[in-house]
Every structure is written in structure tokens, then in C-alpha cells.
Amino acid sequence: MQKNDLKDWSEIENCVKILVEKIQHTGKEFKAIYTISRGGLVPARLVADRLNIRLVLVDEETIPDEALFVDDIYDTGETFRKIMPRVENTDSLVFATLFARRKQHYPRQLIYAKLTDDSEYIVFPWDRFERGFSN
């Protein structure tokens, strides 16, 4: 069984700050953030607040050109593979995550704040009850 890496809010805020700086460094302007329900909701909201983006769209069928997609972690690439058929122009997508699993192959669209230390399962503050961590 894998050990769990419990993240706290201060680490999340630090990751959001790093991620927003990297997003801004792309030079692209975004009017909305796209995400999926569950893991992506909280990071998308935190990024939206720092970028002064008022519109966060969840589980959209179509993701337009020059889109910013935000999720909590790039792990197996499953979420990325699921959303790519919805993206109108995959070359212009920015896929931003708080963490990326170390030693994975990363798509060119990926921007992340931090790499994981190893293969530990990350439990985010918004996952604690779901994963059985109530403290």
C-alpha cells in the first residue's frame, strides 16, 4: 500500500502562486477557466481569483481555442486524455496543474507548480473526507 502525502492549505496557496506566475509567463490572456468536477474545482477557483477571472466552467462539452484548463494533479494523464477530444485547438490549450507526478511523460501543453516527491498518493485538503482523512 502506498503512503499518503497529505497537503495543507499553505502548500496549496504556494503552489497556486507558482502556477499563476507560470501561466502569466505564457503571455496569454484568459477570459475563463475550464475544469472538471471534483479535483479541479478548488484549484480552478484559486487560480481564477489570482488571475481575476470571473468565469469557471465545469465539465464543458467543448473547450475553445486559447483555453486555460486547471486541475489538481497530472498523474496518469487520464484527465488530459479525456479532455483532449473536447478541445477545439489542442495546440493552444494550456493545461495547468498544482502537481505533476515525477517521472511521467508530460504533454507540451502542461504547466505545473511542483513535481511530486515520488509515487506517494497525494491527499489534498478538499479530498480528506473522501479519502477517509477527517483530521
Side-chain angles (χ1 to χ4, degrees), residues 6-54:
L6 300 169
K7 301 298 178 191
D8 64 20
W9 282 109
S10 63
E11 185 171 6
I12 298 304
E13 286 291 337
N14 184 50
C15 286
V16 169
K17 181 179 181 226
I18 293 167
L19 187 60
V20 165
E21 288 171 0
K22 289 182 176 184
I23 292 167
Q24 289 171 327
H25 189 70
T26 68
K28 295 182 178 185
E29 296 276 330
F30 301 101
K31 293 182 175 132
I33 291 178
Y34 296 81
T35 192
I36 57 167
S37 54
R38 308 296 294 171
L41 284 171
V42 175
R45 172 61 194 267
L46 295 171
V47 169
D49 287 348
R50 284 192 175 249
L51 290 174
N52 199 28
I53 296 173
R54 295 186 149 301

Side-chain angles (χ1 to χ4, degrees), residues 4-127:
N4 291 303
D5 185 10
L6 300 169
K7 301 298 178 191
D8 64 20
W9 282 109
S10 63
E11 185 171 6
I12 298 304
E13 286 291 337
N14 184 50
C15 286
V16 169
K17 181 179 181 226
I18 293 167
L19 187 60
V20 165
E21 288 171 0
K22 289 182 176 184
I23 292 167
Q24 289 171 327
H25 189 70
T26 68
K28 295 182 178 185
E29 296 276 330
F30 301 101
K31 293 182 175 132
I33 291 178
Y34 296 81
T35 192
I36 57 167
S37 54
R38 308 296 294 171
L41 284 171
V42 175
R45 172 61 194 267
L46 295 171
V47 169
D49 287 348
R50 284 192 175 249
L51 290 174
N52 199 28
I53 296 173
R54 295 186 149 301
L55 187 58
V56 176
L57 300 161
V58 181
D59 296 330
E60 291 291 301
E61 290 299 317
T62 303
I63 300 171
D65 288 350
E66 301 298 327
L68 174 59
F69 188 93
V70 176
D71 201 5
D72 53 4
I73 186 169
Y74 183 89
D75 191 357
T76 63
E78 181 181 343
T79 300
F80 182 80
R81 285 188 297 278
K82 281 183 180 179
I83 68 141
M84 288 309 279
R86 301 179 193 178
V87 178
E88 290 179 352
N89 181 353
T90 57
D91 291 333
S92 67
L93 175 73
V94 173
F95 190 89
T97 63
L98 300 178
F99 290 88
R101 178 74 57 205
R102 188 176 295 278
K103 297 184 182 176
Q104 290 290 327
H105 172 74
Y106 309 121
R108 61 182 161 59
Q109 296 92 338
L110 181 67
I111 296 175
Y112 58 86
K114 290 185 178 180
L115 289 172
T116 61
D117 291 331
D118 51 35
S119 61
E120 290 179 323
Y121 186 82
I122 293 179
V123 179
F124 293 99
W126 50 90
D127 287 334

